[in-house]
Amino acid sequence: MLNKLTEVTYAQSIAEVQTTLKNVTGITLAAGCTEIARRQTGRNLHLPSEVLALGRIPELCSISKTERYVEFGAAVTLDAILQLGRKNVPDVLYDAIKGIANPGIRSLATIGGNISAKGQRLSAFAPLLALDARLEIRTPGEASWIPMSRYFSNEGREASREPDFISKIRIPTELWDVSIYQRLGAEGIVTTGTASFAFLAKFQKNILADLRIAFAGKFFFRKKEFENLLIGRSLPLSMRDIMIIKEKAELFFEESYFPPSLERSCIFNLLEEGLKTLT
């Protein structure tokens, strides 16, 4: 049920969204509204006083694919991504989306909404972080592409001089020899213990040519310095190699993000399981 004082406007174009952001302070952008619903505990759905609905904008609901990347409008539903099939979606992202909620929720929830959730990073965040996804960010006056890792911050982004929103997500379509996605926490619901882990590896003969390790929960984590430390190693790894790598990981997996806890143990166990695929 909508608030009696809720005013919902349906945008028909990106230009209309940009104009609204320029002229209406504090308006809430929404598409599937599943994130708004997830945060509420009462029987009725309470929306903000002013909502700009994005689900009718063709550009935000479109999907395109080239030899180098696949690009999703921010209002593309999770179900629409799954319907593309594994051959058109990176395995680590496909596996993450397939495990989200149920078909009914996935038919409403959008890829933009999933990565924009506040307070708790949801399932698609770690895979997209590992895949070096780029975001098209729109302000009232312009559009720009930036790495996803730069748009989001664990400390909270500094207040922008202009309001902005995510209009597209672009994902490289390169192939990976190892692609692992793991979800932590209670199944089917999002709690403070919910988190996701992505591990990608690429080989070239007997050399580890590329490696990506990402984590997302209450915060997100990816250290390219740690990945670069491992790239170029000879394969297969030995169990002694894995133990040494885990010891070195202590220097990168900061305790402020991974305090001594069950979660920290889980992260190192997931790291070890990923590395074991390289033995």
Side-chain angles (χ1 to χ4, degrees), residues 100 132 159 208 249:
I100 293 173
D132 278 344
L208 182 59

Side-chain angles (χ1 to χ4, degrees), residues 17-276:
V17 178
Q18 292 173 299
T19 299
T20 302
L21 287 178
K22 182 178 181 179
N23 297 323
V24 182
T25 302
I27 194 168
T28 298
L29 306 186
C33 286
T34 55
E35 177 60 16
I36 293 176
R38 181 182 71 82
R39 291 176 169 275
Q40 302 191 30
T41 57
R43 297 180 62 182
N44 295 329
L45 177 63
H46 295 278
L47 296 178
S49 59
E50 291 185 286
V51 175
L52 184 63
L54 308 179
R56 296 181 180 177
I57 301 176
E59 188 174 348
L60 296 186
C61 299
S62 66
I63 300 172
S64 62
K65 189 173 186 296
T66 71
E67 292 183 359
R68 298 175 56 192
Y69 61 81
V70 59
E71 188 174 285
F72 302 113
V76 169
T77 66
L78 303 180
D79 183 63
I81 294 175
L82 290 181
Q83 288 183 19
L84 295 175
R86 284 188 178 273
K87 66 179 181 179
N88 293 308
V89 181
D91 284 341
V92 70
L93 179 61
Y94 189 94
D95 291 338
I97 292 176
K98 189 176 181 180
I100 293 173
N102 56 60
I105 296 296
R106 293 195 296 268
S107 70
L108 296 173
T110 64
I111 185 66
N114 187 277
I115 64 174
S116 298
K118 297 179 180 179
Q120 194 78 17
R121 304 299 178 187
L122 302 184
S123 296
F125 198 97
L128 290 175
L129 189 64
L131 290 165
D132 278 344
R134 297 179 67 86
L135 308 177
E136 184 184 57
I137 306 301
R138 297 266 186 168
T139 67
E142 63 180 7
S144 59
W145 286 95
I146 66 172
M148 178 176 164
S149 57
R150 278 180 48 201
Y151 184 72
F152 294 101
S153 167
N154 286 316
E155 288 74 32
R157 291 192 301 118
E158 294 182 4
S160 174
R161 289 175 295 179
E162 295 183 290
D164 60 29
F165 69 101
I166 300 170
S167 54
K168 294 179 182 178
I169 298 98
R170 180 178 291 175
I171 309 164
T173 53
E174 56 191 311
L175 298 177
W176 295 90
D177 296 295
V178 175
S179 178
I180 299 173
Y181 171 79
Q182 289 286 344
R183 184 182 185 276
L184 305 179
E187 185 176 352
I189 60 172
V190 176
T191 69
T192 56
T194 300
S196 55
F197 176 84
F199 183 98
L200 301 172
K202 186 183 298 182
F203 314 145
Q204 189 171 6
K205 296 184 178 179
N206 294 325
I207 299 296
L208 182 59
D210 201 354
L211 180 72
R212 313 276 180 84
I213 301 168
F215 171 89
K218 294 186 292 293
F219 55 87
F220 67 90
F221 176 93
R222 183 180 167 206
K223 287 286 187 180
K224 291 188 178 182
E225 298 90 344
F226 179 64
E227 296 168 355
N228 291 338
L229 187 68
L230 306 184
I231 292 172
R233 283 178 174 258
S234 298
L235 298 176
L237 297 179
S238 67
M239 287 307 299
R240 183 174 181 276
D241 290 331
I242 292 176
M243 293 302 106
I244 292 174
I245 291 170
K246 286 182 64 178
E247 289 177 3
K248 291 183 177 180
E250 295 278 357
L251 302 174
F252 295 88
F253 289 50
E254 303 168 24
E255 289 194 9
S256 59
Y257 291 159
F258 298 94
S261 65
L262 176 61
E263 186 177 85
R264 184 176 177 83
S265 298
C266 287
I267 293 302
F268 278 88
N269 288 339
L270 288 169
L271 175 62
E272 181 175 343
E273 289 304 308
L275 293 172
K276 282 181 178 178

